[in-house]
Amino acid sequence: MFRAVTSAHQRKKQPDVIRAQLLRAAAELVTQGGTQAVTLEAVAAHAGVTKGGLQHHFKSKQLLLDALFEEMNRQFVESFHANIAEDPEAHGREARAYLRAMVSSPANSEQIRGLRALIGSMMVEPDLRERWNCSWQDDLQLKSGEVSPQDINSIICRLATDGLWFADLIEDQGISPEVRAAVIRRLEELTRE
């Protein structure tokens, strides 16, 4: 009877698993040292793959960083849409979903540090700011021209939410957890007015 012998070279390749592994490694490196710490060699070594294996998925550092930003953005969009789907009240739904996705359940500290590094890079590098402009913002339906008081409330909620998120991002200790929770409750109320 013939028995097949499998070796590491004969294992079935799992490109999605390797890609996710590479993105996790890049996120960890960004967290530890910012975008400048992300080199193809460092990511490959951190992920335990060859540089050629990494380049099969990402031909350059910029493509790797773009994919990392897109992954974080995808996670936010999924959370945003899940919050919309769970909210039975139509009035102010998008603003509440945005609030909940952004600040009601802050991301874990590793994710926050990774986002901090990516956002910091966007602030000082105009090309990254342009590349990583978020298209999901159209979902918030911010209107120009004639707007209702309810639309203004949604815009106020959106801008305040961005401020809370940014305070989380820079680890602003000026707001106690109790005050932060009260602000979030008030913003939720504002979306219903």
Side-chain angles (χ1 to χ4, degrees), residues 65-81 98 101-102 111 115 118-119 122 131-137 139 165:
L65 289 173
D66 288 348
L68 181 59
F69 184 83
E70 287 169 18
E71 177 60 21
M72 290 181 170
N73 192 44
R74 183 193 62 74
Q75 290 171 8
F76 170 79
V77 170
E78 284 179 4
S79 176
F80 175 71
H81 286 291
Y98 185 76
M102 290 291 279
Q111 191 175 16
L115 277 172
L118 291 175
I119 298 301
M122 285 177 66
R131 286 176 77 94
W132 295 346
N133 187 19
C134 298
S135 60
W136 55 264
Q137 292 181 20
D139 292 341
W165 180 83

Side-chain angles (χ1 to χ4, degrees), residues 21-173:
Q21 188 176 328
L22 291 166
L23 288 174
R24 270 192 310 279
E28 289 171 12
L29 289 169
V30 164
T31 298
Q32 294 166 6
T35 56
Q36 63 274 14
V38 176
T39 65
L40 297 182
E41 294 82 6
V43 173
H46 199 71
V49 301
T50 65
K51 185 176 174 186
L54 179 145
Q55 288 182 308
H56 173 75
H57 295 276
F58 306 105
K59 302 282 185 221
S60 69
K61 172 182 173 175
Q62 187 59 60
L63 292 174
L64 176 61
L65 289 173
D66 288 348
L68 181 59
F69 184 83
E70 287 169 18
E71 177 60 21
M72 290 181 170
N73 192 44
R74 183 193 62 74
Q75 290 171 8
F76 170 79
V77 170
E78 284 179 4
S79 176
F80 175 71
H81 286 291
N83 279 296
I84 287 175
E86 293 170 5
D87 191 336
E89 185 182 346
H91 177 71
R93 180 182 297 151
E94 289 84 8
R96 282 188 302 282
Y98 185 76
L99 173 65
R100 292 169 183 159
M102 290 291 279
V103 298
S104 290
S105 305
N108 67 49
S109 61
E110 283 296 309
Q111 191 175 16
I112 287 286
R113 286 197 299 272
L115 277 172
R116 186 180 300 120
L118 291 175
I119 298 301
S121 297
M122 285 177 66
M123 293 175 131
V124 297
E125 298 180 41
D127 60 317
L128 291 181
R129 201 168 33 251
E130 187 173 324
R131 286 176 77 94
W132 295 346
N133 187 19
C134 298
S135 60
W136 55 264
Q137 292 181 20
D138 294 340
D139 292 341
L140 293 174
Q141 301 171 345
L142 300 179
K143 301 171 178 83
S144 60
E146 210 51 49
V147 292
S148 71
Q150 293 84 10
D151 293 331
I152 295 298
N153 285 348
S154 291
I155 292 168
I156 290 168
C157 181
R158 157 75 195 287
L159 295 172
T161 298
D162 288 348
L164 282 172
W165 180 83
F166 190 73
D168 288 345
L169 201 63
I170 63 169
E171 297 177 336
D172 181 358
Q173 303 299 316

